[in-house]
């Protein structure tokens, strides 16, 4: 079985999902942070790396798995010293996840396990009801007005959970921003916000504006971040919030 080093928080989770313990040489530093990984508890049983080529070379893995945002120069350095590198794309849709699981299964020589998990995810995905035309309108309103539009995993999660996305209705493709004024003008039924920072942050001041006080808020969780089966927990979070909105007297 190939020995693997992961240098990306999302490939960390795929490795933890599929690899045998003896295959895992090290994981990224973010792997053990519960704010960034749904599998942080599992990750604490393994070493972490500093994503530096010299350190990883000393670990002598058979393969390094990385994400699209990892430094290309760092990955080329690994390849230049004959370390195999497999790069995984940013997950932009729920339907991408089974193929990414299968790809990691091939990298780790765990194709049977990967196929079983991917097939179950496809079954679970197919059971989700189609969104209603009059679904509640939700607005991503993250620090600095950051928002997520079409072609993002977060948009797919929102729609699968039974809501429409204000960012898409405003024509945003991928990442973008919405203003406080746009949110107030369009009167969404629900705001999707970040987990509170817990300290002073100017970028979060917009989200605490008094004009937003009456809007229901769903704080996105770590389950929204990576293309692994636990992403369906994020879909359930949206669905539960949508059901709660539907149960309000005015709906």
């Amino acid at each position: 079985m190939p020995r693997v080093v992961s240098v990306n928080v999302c490939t960390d989770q795929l490795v933890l999902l599929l690899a045998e313990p003896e295959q895992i040489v090290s994981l990224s530093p973010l792997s053990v942070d519960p704010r960034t990984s749904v599998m942080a508890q599992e990750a604490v049983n393994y070493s972490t790396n500093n994503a530096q080529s010299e350190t990883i070379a000393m670990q002598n893995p058979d393969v390094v798995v990385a994400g699209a945002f990892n430094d290309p120069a760092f990955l080329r350095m690994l390849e230049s010293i004959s370390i195999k590198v497999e790069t995984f794309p940013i997950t932009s849709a729920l339907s991408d996840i089974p193929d990414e699981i299968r790809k990691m299964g091939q990298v780790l020589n765990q194709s049977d396990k990967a196929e079983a998990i991917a097939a179950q995810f496809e079954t679970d995905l197919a059971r989700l009801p189609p969104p209603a035309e009059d679904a509640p309108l939700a607005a991503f309103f993250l620090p600095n007005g950051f928002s997520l539009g079409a072609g993002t995993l977060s948009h797919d999660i929102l729609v699968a959970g039974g809501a429409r996305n204000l960012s898409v209705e405003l024509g945003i493709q991928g990442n973008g921003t919405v203003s406080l004024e746009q949110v107030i003008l369009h009167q969404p039924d629900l705001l999707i916000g970040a987990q509170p920072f817990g300290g002073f942050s100017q970028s979060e001041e917009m989200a605490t504006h008094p004009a937003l006080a009456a809007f229901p808020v769903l704080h996105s969780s770590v389950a929204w971040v990576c293309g692994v089966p636990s992403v369906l927990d994020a879909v359930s979070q949206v669905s539960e919030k949508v059901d709660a909105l539907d149960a309000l007297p005015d709906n």
Side-chain angles (χ1 to χ4, degrees):
M1 292 289 184
R3 299 169 64 256
V4 62
V5 163
S6 172
V7 294
N8 172 270
V9 69
C10 292
T11 55
D12 290 337
Q13 293 168 61
L14 288 171
V15 167
L16 288 165
L17 192 67
L18 295 171
E20 295 298 326
E22 61 270 18
Q23 290 184 264
I24 303 175
V25 178
S26 67
L27 303 169
S28 82
L30 293 177
S31 65
V32 295
D33 187 341
R35 297 170 299 179
T36 57
S37 173
V38 294
M39 300 188 76
Q41 188 171 352
E42 293 86 346
V44 297
N45 296 312
Y46 301 96
S47 298
T48 57
N49 59 68
N50 59 6
Q52 293 184 1
S53 55
E54 297 88 349
T55 303
I56 291 173
M58 293 292 291
Q59 295 177 339
N60 194 31
D62 297 303
V63 61
V64 171
V65 291
F69 281 148
N70 282 107
D71 182 3
F74 158 64
L75 300 180
R76 286 196 299 269
M77 176 66 75
L78 293 175
E79 291 176 324
S80 74
I81 55 175
S82 301
I83 295 177
K84 182 180 179 181
V85 175
E86 292 283 355
T87 303
F88 285 71
I90 299 167
T91 306
S92 58
L94 291 168
S95 59
D96 293 340
I97 294 174
D99 285 344
E100 292 169 14
I101 293 171
R102 291 182 176 108
K103 177 180 177 180
M104 185 63 81
Q106 292 174 347
V107 170
L108 298 175
N109 197 17
Q110 296 285 358
S111 292
D112 289 347
K113 185 188 293 188
E115 182 57 38
I117 295 172
Q120 182 61 56
F121 184 85
E122 288 171 332
T123 298
D124 294 341
L125 199 58
R127 288 176 178 154
L128 296 175
E133 290 185 6
D134 61 345
L137 182 65
F140 285 103
F141 199 59
L142 303 168
N144 283 329
F146 184 76
S147 194
L148 295 144
T152 66
L153 180 61
S154 292
H155 166 69
D156 238 27
I157 290 169
L158 191 63
V159 172
R164 292 178 292 128
N165 186 353
L166 175 61
S167 298
V168 170
E169 299 195 3
L170 293 174
I172 295 175
Q173 182 78 27
N175 301 335
T177 58
V178 295
S179 66
L180 177 65
E181 291 78 9
Q182 285 176 308
V183 172
I184 295 170
L185 176 65
H186 289 275
Q187 289 290 298
D189 301 292
L190 175 66
L191 297 181
I192 310 296
Q195 290 289 344
F197 173 67
F200 175 74
S201 168
Q202 287 186 326
S203 67
E204 292 185 307
E205 283 188 344
M206 287 168 53
T208 60
H209 193 283
L212 301 175
F215 291 104
V217 178
L218 171 61
H219 293 296
S220 60
S221 71
V222 68
W224 292 64
V225 177
C226 294
V228 291
S230 56
V231 75
L232 293 178
D233 293 340
V235 175
S236 295
Q237 291 167 6
V238 177
S239 180
E240 289 169 6
K241 199 72 174 181
V242 167
D243 288 345
L245 290 172
D246 289 341
L248 294 175
D250 291 338
N251 291 312

